[in-house]
Amino acid sequence: MGAQKSIHAGRAKIDVNVDFTHKLCTSLMFPTFRTDKCWFGWSLYVGSLCIKHPNLFGGSEKLDVSWDKGLYDSNVLVAFRRPRPEWRPQQCFFIQHSLSPEIGVHGTPYDNFSRSGSGGVNLSKLAVGLDLSEPASSKWSSTTSVKFEHVRPMNDEGRLITRDVDGFPVTCSGNTHDSMVVLKQESRFAKANDQGLSHFSMQIEQGIPVVSKWLIFNRFKFVASKGVRLGPAFLLASLTGGSIVGDMAPYQAFAIGGLGSVRGYGEGAVGSGRSCLVANTELALPLNKMTEGTIFLDCGTDLGSSRLVPGNPSLRHGKPGFGYGFGYGLRFKSPLGHLQVDYAINAFNQKTLYFGVTNLASSS
């Protein structure tokens, strides 16, 4: 449920949106019951607050403040945008703070790798930076950003930590925090028509050595997708990969496994490494105007790079480093949003049932 309120302050209007929603959660941290080796997520209260000011100083400056709160995570974002000519890059100054469990790397897999439990490591991140969005030309768009990021690992009691439960460092510096200045470039290509779609994105991040103890690294990630209509059906294939060189904290590793990666596994239960490669294929067939049926095949690998992650958390937790999952699912369109149900089987013949809700309707 949600509520919206518009407040007029002089010549400006402030929009306030509040939303408290029962959101189906597929996170493997929140089990409730089990039937025939299938795990079900449960409903969690998720709260969000959004405040928008479209004319902060009388010159069409925009201020957005958003707050999202889950059961174990939270995120606060403050963004300020100044008007600029359309032919010039659009600027956005932002401050963001988030707190969330780090499951993908430090989580412990169990039940034949179909689930991941908390490893007792949580990340508190503070970021301050600037985004520059270039004017879109044809089907290409790009964004450049620079930010300062301060990362502090915590245990489940909220105390700062330098080592995990096995005594291995959780930061690159060896202290209770890591600091870095990151320059990021992202380019995107998108093309769609009645016969299919093509999408490609590339992200490159460079850690800048402003201070000698700050992290210096280069990290890149790409996503390539191709969709083709086959009569009434639609075939979508995607390939995701990435790598990181230079300084690295364990939490920066690529986590493989889970919904959005390799279904049939818990979050990060396939592996976590300096490099990764994940392939997804899904065939969707409409059953009626509101429902689609799908079959899918996912596979992923850390390319043998898990041993290069500091502390080698993947090996310590017995993750295989390669995995595949296949199954079928349903997609529903409803007033609440797009509902997703997937039934997946992994390489160990473990069955997992996923629920998900995307594009939740709001009052905005």
Side-chain angles (χ1 to χ4, degrees):
M1 60 182 177
Q4 179 179 5
K5 177 68 175 179
S6 294
I7 303 173
H8 292 271
R11 299 172 60 183
K13 185 180 76 169
I14 303 176
D15 295 325
V16 180
N17 295 309
V18 181
D19 185 28
F20 292 96
T21 310
H22 268 115
K23 182 178 181 181
L24 288 173
C25 181
T26 58
S27 174
L28 298 177
M29 297 186 302
F30 313 127
T32 55
F33 58 92
R34 183 179 181 181
T35 304
D36 190 26
K37 298 184 179 180
C38 294
W39 290 90
F40 293 78
W42 190 245
S43 301
L44 299 177
Y45 277 109
V46 176
S48 66
L49 172 67
C50 181
I51 301 176
K52 297 184 179 182
H53 197 305
N55 193 26
L56 186 62
F57 299 120
S60 298
E61 301 88 353
K62 296 180 180 180
L63 177 67
D64 295 340
V65 180
S66 63
W67 170 79
D68 297 288
K69 183 68 175 73
L71 191 60
Y72 294 106
D73 58 344
S74 64
N75 183 72
V76 178
L77 174 63
V78 180
F80 173 74
R81 297 173 177 85
R82 295 190 303 178
R84 292 168 65 90
E86 293 184 0
W87 52 271
R88 298 187 62 184
Q90 301 302 304
Q91 296 180 347
C92 176
F93 300 90
F94 65 88
I95 301 175
Q96 184 175 19
H97 180 267
S98 64
L99 177 63
S100 61
E102 204 300 291
I103 302 295
V105 176
H106 292 97
T108 303
Y110 57 97
D111 208 19
N112 284 332
F113 301 95
S114 66
R115 294 171 52 78
S116 294
S118 172
V121 178
N122 304 271
L123 296 181
S124 172
K125 295 184 179 181
L126 174 65
V128 181
L130 169 67
D131 282 339
L132 293 174
S133 299
E134 297 288 342
S137 68
S138 184
K139 301 175 180 63
W140 285 92
S141 61
S142 66
T143 301
T144 302
S145 66
V146 60
K147 67 177 178 179
F148 167 77
E149 190 170 50
H150 187 74
V151 183
R152 299 184 302 162
M154 299 179 174
N155 61 17
D156 292 336
E157 286 73 43
R159 291 192 293 268
L160 296 178
I161 57 175
T162 60
R163 298 181 179 273
D164 60 20
V165 293
D166 295 323
F168 289 86
V170 292
T171 60
C172 180
S173 65
N175 299 321
T176 57
H177 66 272
D178 282 329
S179 297
M180 64 200 85
V181 171
V182 182
L183 178 65
K184 177 180 176 181
Q185 172 69 41
E186 181 176 4
S187 299
R188 297 173 297 275
F189 171 84
K191 177 183 177 181
N193 53 43
D194 294 338
Q195 300 304 314
L197 61 86
S198 299
H199 176 269
F200 178 79
S201 68
M202 170 71 80
Q203 298 178 2
I204 300 177
E205 295 179 316
Q206 177 65 55
I208 302 175
V210 177
V211 178
S212 60
K213 294 183 179 181
W214 291 3
L215 275 63
I216 308 173
F217 61 90
N218 182 273
R219 188 179 196 266
F220 83 90
K221 179 181 179 180
F222 73 88
V223 180
S225 302
K226 179 67 176 180
V228 180
R229 186 163 298 282
L230 304 173
F234 191 81
L235 177 65
L236 179 63
S238 65
L239 184 67
T240 303
S243 186
I244 180 172
V245 295
D247 296 337
M248 177 187 183
Y251 56 78
Q252 292 178 300
F254 293 93
I256 309 164
L259 191 65
S261 178
V262 181
R263 284 163 285 190
Y265 292 81
E267 182 181 351
V270 173
S272 52
R274 277 187 175 262
S275 303
C276 76
L277 198 62
V278 176
N280 309 95
T281 304
E282 185 167 296
L283 180 66
L285 183 67
L287 303 179
N288 54 49
K289 292 182 178 181
M290 304 295 290
T291 309
E292 286 184 341
T294 65
I295 56 174
F296 59 84
L297 172 65
D298 303 330
C299 61
T301 173
D302 62 16
L303 300 173
S305 64
S306 62
R307 58 185 175 83
L308 303 176
V309 176
N312 201 346
S314 185
L315 178 64
R316 286 190 282 121
H317 294 144
K319 298 178 182 180
F322 171 82
Y324 64 87
F326 60 92
Y328 54 88
L330 292 173
R331 308 288 183 264
F332 304 95
K333 297 179 182 179
S334 77
L336 291 177
H338 296 279
L339 310 182
Q340 174 180 342
V341 181
D342 284 332
Y343 181 80
I345 304 173
N346 67 15
F348 301 92
N349 201 35
Q350 185 67 44
K351 305 172 180 65
T352 307
L353 188 62
Y354 296 95
F355 291 90
V357 180
T358 59
N359 297 328
L360 285 173
S362 67
S363 302
S364 58

